[in-house]
Amino acid sequence: MLKIAVLFGGTSSEHRISLRTGEFICRTLDSMGHKVKPILITQDGNWVLPSKYRLLLPDNTALDPDSYQNRFEELHQAKAGPFLGLDCDIVFLGLHGGQGEDGSIQGFLSVLGIPFTGSGVKASALAMDKIGANKVFQQSGMNVAPFWELRKKDYESKEISLDSLPLEFPLFLKPVHGGSSVNTFRVDSKHQLAEKLSVFFEKEEHAILQKFLSGTEVSCGVWEHKKNGKRKLEVLPPTEILPGGEFFDMDSKYKPGLSQEITPARLETNIIRRIQEQAILAHQILGCEGYSRSDFIVVEGTPFILETNTLPGMTETSLIPQQAKAAGITMEEIYAALIDLGMERAGKIPVS
């Protein structure tokens, strides 16, 4: 039995989704017999944690550091431990988007020496950057839809105009750093794009414009665990997605009944194999750890990668739980592997 702090909520546009993910994670960990401490990060960045404030300092500041620490601990009747009173063996990350998924919280916990689940700083930051990730995908020989970059400051200062970009319509307008299809729009003309940008740039600073591809939407998860003492990367059955709207938007993803998700996907065996191979490749070239989920669009039998999620959704309608069930794998198994790998990375305990 471990003491596990679950971080959920957060300051990103995916706050509400993270609340549901956090609840799912907490319930699952509790059913596994762990001691669970849910920690809510509010939308304005505050941490909901009990705390006390007392100004008690040692009298003699000339004490050597060890003596100073001992005296400080005596005054406060507390021992040195993890920052913010987390008092846990490991942090299970239930955050999505923003600082929860872009490497910020991962770096914070790494500096504090607190083990956490999922990918580290570099992989989290790269996967969250749609421009950077797409370039890495291209360099690795993966198929990527044509894309263009547009920053708010350049667009509003007229340093870059829509006429200067070789755009191909229809296309998607998406935040470079974001997920769950928040602030994502399909646009069919330059005029419509200009209208959407006026709204988009009220909340975002950096946009990716990516050509719309007509095909079958598919998502495929991978997870890592130890087998015979060696780390093994295992791919899950891909899910075919039939959106309720014109694309797999936020409502389709998280409102039951608005989309149809079929696991395993109804695709030929060789296409499924290619999707699974590319999901593993994306995980590896980005440097992901623990688990990830990559999204694709299959056009005439060819998979085009859209993005990789380092902290994929874990709600009752999320894809990783669906795929794990189809593979005969329990979420308890996946969570146990994530915890062991996170603690192994921090040098806390060997993975069993």
Side-chain angles (χ1 to χ4, degrees):
M1 179 179 68
L2 296 172
K3 293 188 295 183
I4 303 176
V6 178
L7 298 189
F8 64 109
T11 60
S12 83
S13 57
E14 299 176 70
H15 179 90
R16 287 189 301 132
I17 308 307
S18 179
L19 297 183
R20 291 171 57 185
T21 284
E23 290 174 358
F24 184 92
I25 290 171
C26 287
R27 288 197 298 267
T28 303
L29 293 174
D30 180 71
S31 73
M32 295 167 66
H34 295 298
K35 295 179 67 176
V36 180
K37 179 190 286 188
I39 298 176
L40 172 64
I41 300 178
T42 67
Q43 289 181 293
D44 55 4
N46 291 315
W47 291 42
V48 182
L49 274 171
S51 60
K52 291 183 180 180
Y53 290 86
R54 293 183 295 174
L55 184 59
L56 297 174
L57 299 172
D59 295 331
N60 187 356
T61 56
L63 294 172
D64 66 82
D66 288 340
S67 299
Y68 189 93
Q69 176 181 325
N70 291 337
R71 180 59 180 147
F72 189 92
E73 291 177 355
E74 289 174 5
L75 290 171
H76 287 271
Q77 297 182 345
K79 291 294 182 182
F83 186 59
L84 288 178
L86 290 181
D87 182 29
C88 63
D89 295 307
I90 189 168
V91 168
F92 203 113
L93 294 176
L95 299 164
H96 300 309
Q99 295 177 341
E101 198 168 354
D102 68 0
S104 297
I105 194 71
Q106 290 80 3
F108 173 68
L109 295 171
S110 295
V111 168
L112 298 175
I114 300 175
F116 59 90
T117 57
S119 295
V121 177
K122 292 182 179 179
S124 299
L126 180 55
M128 197 68 180
D129 181 347
K130 292 183 177 65
I131 298 291
N134 275 333
K135 290 178 179 178
V136 170
F137 294 149
Q138 285 180 323
Q139 292 167 0
S140 300
M142 304 179 77
N143 296 306
V144 177
F147 63 93
W148 305 269
E149 182 177 10
L150 188 61
R151 294 182 182 274
K152 177 180 178 179
K153 61 181 181 64
D154 296 331
Y155 179 69
E156 293 187 342
S157 67
K158 303 189 184 305
E159 288 187 33
I160 294 180
S161 69
L162 298 184
D163 290 330
S164 68
L165 298 174
L167 303 175
E168 300 177 41
F169 293 92
L171 56 76
F172 279 110
L173 166 62
K174 300 182 285 188
V176 169
H177 302 93
S180 291
S181 298
V182 177
N183 294 329
T184 295
F185 307 96
R186 171 179 164 158
V187 293
D188 298 302
S189 68
K190 195 172 293 184
H191 174 72
Q192 186 182 18
L193 176 58
E195 290 181 339
K196 292 294 185 182
L197 282 172
S198 65
V199 176
F200 180 89
F201 281 139
E202 289 179 359
K203 296 182 179 180
E204 307 289 345
E205 299 291 328
H206 198 183
I208 177 173
L209 310 172
Q210 191 155 29
K211 180 175 171 56
F212 167 80
L213 297 178
S214 179
T216 303
E217 295 188 50
V218 179
S219 189
C220 187
V222 297
W223 68 298
E224 296 183 59
H225 58 100
K226 275 294 189 74
K227 188 173 184 178
N228 299 325
K230 295 183 178 180
R231 186 175 293 202
K232 178 180 174 60
L233 187 60
E234 186 170 336
V235 68
L236 297 171
T239 298
E240 177 184 352
I241 299 163
L242 302 175
E246 63 180 356
F247 69 97
F248 197 39
D249 61 7
M250 190 173 184
D251 284 344
S252 294
K253 287 180 179 179
Y254 298 108
K255 289 186 178 180
L258 290 190
S259 67
Q260 188 177 359
E261 297 156 1
I262 303 166
T263 309
R266 301 170 301 177
L267 296 169
E268 296 178 8
T269 302
N270 65 315
I271 298 176
I272 287 181
R273 184 171 60 250
R274 290 181 65 188
I275 291 168
Q276 291 178 317
E277 289 172 349
Q278 294 209 358
I280 288 177
L281 178 59
H283 183 95
Q284 292 173 325
I285 63 177
L286 293 173
C288 299
E289 299 175 73
Y291 64 159
S292 69
R293 197 198 74 227
S294 292
D295 301 333
F296 302 85
I297 187 87
V298 180
V299 182
E300 297 180 352
T302 300
F304 285 74
I305 189 164
L306 301 175
E307 64 180 356
T308 295
N309 303 273
T310 56
L311 289 177
M314 286 291 174
T315 74
E316 65 275 11
T317 61
S318 294
L319 300 180
I320 289 285
Q322 293 182 40
Q323 294 171 9
K325 182 178 180 180
I329 302 166
T330 67
M331 291 309 298
E332 287 81 0
E333 290 178 82
I334 291 179
Y335 282 11
L338 292 175
I339 291 166
D340 281 354
L341 290 170
M343 296 191 74
E344 181 189 53
R345 176 177 53 203
K348 297 297 183 181
I349 60 170
V351 177
S352 57

